[in-house]
Amino acid sequence: MSVNISLFLDKNPEIKSQINQVLKDKENFTITSQEAETKIAEIVNDLELDENQINELIGDKNVDPYLNPVLYKVSKPLAQSGKHILILKGNLAPDTAVAKLSGKYLSSGKFTGIAKVFDCEEDTTKAILAGQIEAGDILVIRYEGPKGGPGMREMLSPSAALIGRGLGKTVGLITDGRFSGGSHGIMIGHVCPEAFEGGPIAIVENGDKISIDPNNKELTLELSQQEIQTRLNNWQRPKMPIQKGVLAKYAKVVQPASKGAITW
């Protein structure tokens, strides 16, 4: 039987150091997963720990210390319902948006902030690195959806920049683009309808107040419906960013993110 490698090493830096030394001592600096498991098992055996002590070291009562599963049982999930992927709706995302709570700071409750609006990922990143973003802001990155991007790019740079500047817990980020599974922070993606299709995210202005409420699964632009409709009536669709080629064809036929951003 093998110990759950990632959990065990994360919780036991001294043992991790021993494993690293084993790697350094190997002439060709290579090691198979089986070798790693064997070495960890030897160290654990030397410590003469019983199963309860291993559980205590790992510190996670929901994970079997002798298994490192890829698929978890429905009766014993990696994350409980509502604690991982959460679908939000509201006047800012009438057709839904997606929040990923694992590794995030949003699960503690409602977050309300002031909008700072950008029409592309690059401008957002520049503003963060220039120190123009502060605690309490909610960054709105639009025209990055399946049609507006086109292609629904991953908002990796701005999300990483927020964490790098220590703003992960105090600044939100909302986009009609997407995020990777490794993103951290207060992140809402897949906002539908996207800006290019005239969704409400298209008419958000700097200084607007936005609320993210995971408990009630709501994403709200704090404006009257009358003001929202007035802005939508005055909105004009921007020019398609790409006019020719495969991406232009893609942008014309792609379905919204809420339907999988599929084409046919």
Side-chain angles (χ1 to χ4, degrees):
M1 291 187 294
S2 61
V3 174
N4 185 317
I5 295 175
S6 58
L7 280 175
F8 196 87
L9 294 186
D10 285 346
K11 297 294 183 179
N12 299 276
E14 292 184 3
I15 295 177
K16 186 173 184 178
S17 177
Q18 293 183 50
I19 297 297
N20 287 336
Q21 189 59 51
V22 172
L23 290 173
K24 291 178 182 179
D25 290 343
K26 287 181 68 68
E27 182 178 350
N28 296 319
F29 198 76
T30 59
I31 189 168
T32 67
S33 61
Q34 184 59 50
E35 285 179 298
E37 288 190 1
T38 300
K39 185 58 183 178
I40 293 172
E42 289 175 358
I43 294 172
V44 172
N45 289 334
D46 289 343
L47 294 174
E48 297 182 350
L49 303 176
D50 60 29
E51 184 172 336
N52 290 333
Q53 290 172 313
I54 293 175
N55 271 325
E56 185 175 349
L57 278 173
I58 293 175
D60 190 336
K61 308 304 181 186
N62 295 318
V63 179
D64 188 330
Y66 293 111
L67 294 175
N68 195 3
V70 175
L71 298 177
Y72 285 77
K73 296 180 180 179
V74 174
S75 61
K76 196 175 183 182
L78 179 63
Q80 296 295 323
S81 177
K83 299 297 184 182
H84 180 49
I85 298 296
L86 196 63
I87 304 301
L88 308 178
K89 293 190 75 172
N91 64 2
L92 187 52
D95 293 343
T96 69
V98 178
K100 178 174 175 290
L101 301 183
S102 300
K104 305 293 188 289
Y105 307 116
L106 184 59
S107 56
S108 58
K110 186 175 180 178
F111 181 88
T112 300
I114 303 302
K116 286 190 176 177
V117 185
F118 302 90
D119 288 346
C120 69
E121 176 190 19
E122 291 81 1
D123 289 348
T124 314
T125 302
K126 289 178 182 177
I128 297 170
L129 297 179
Q132 298 171 4
I133 307 304
E134 57 188 23
D137 288 339
I138 291 184
L139 308 184
V140 177
I141 310 178
R142 60 194 180 194
Y143 299 109
E144 290 287 6
K147 288 183 178 291
M152 202 177 184
R153 296 189 299 169
E154 177 185 345
M155 300 295 104
L156 176 61
S157 294
S159 60
L162 286 175
I163 296 297
R165 296 189 71 88
L167 295 170
K169 295 182 179 180
T170 57
V171 172
L173 200 162
I174 297 173
T175 181
D176 51 9
R178 63 184 177 87
F179 300 104
S180 74
S183 297
H184 283 63
I186 304 170
M187 306 286 169
I188 310 295
H190 296 231
V191 172
C192 295
E194 64 175 285
F196 194 80
E197 290 286 82
I201 191 174
I203 53 88
V204 179
E205 298 178 359
N206 288 324
D208 287 345
K209 184 180 290 187
I210 297 173
S211 294
I212 305 167
D213 187 348
N215 295 324
N216 292 309
K217 301 179 182 179
E218 293 178 346
L219 182 61
T220 305
L221 178 60
E222 302 290 353
L223 294 175
S224 68
Q225 189 56 44
Q226 181 179 356
E227 174 62 20
I228 291 174
Q229 191 58 54
T230 297
R231 292 188 189 183
L232 287 173
N233 291 341
N234 293 328
W235 173 79
Q236 294 184 352
R237 188 193 309 274
K239 184 178 180 181
M240 183 74 74
I242 295 178
Q243 299 294 315
K244 297 180 180 180
V246 175
L247 278 179
K249 179 181 179 181
Y250 167 88
K252 290 180 181 179
V253 301
V254 67
Q255 298 298 295
S258 57
K259 295 183 179 180
I262 61 172
T263 63
W264 54 72

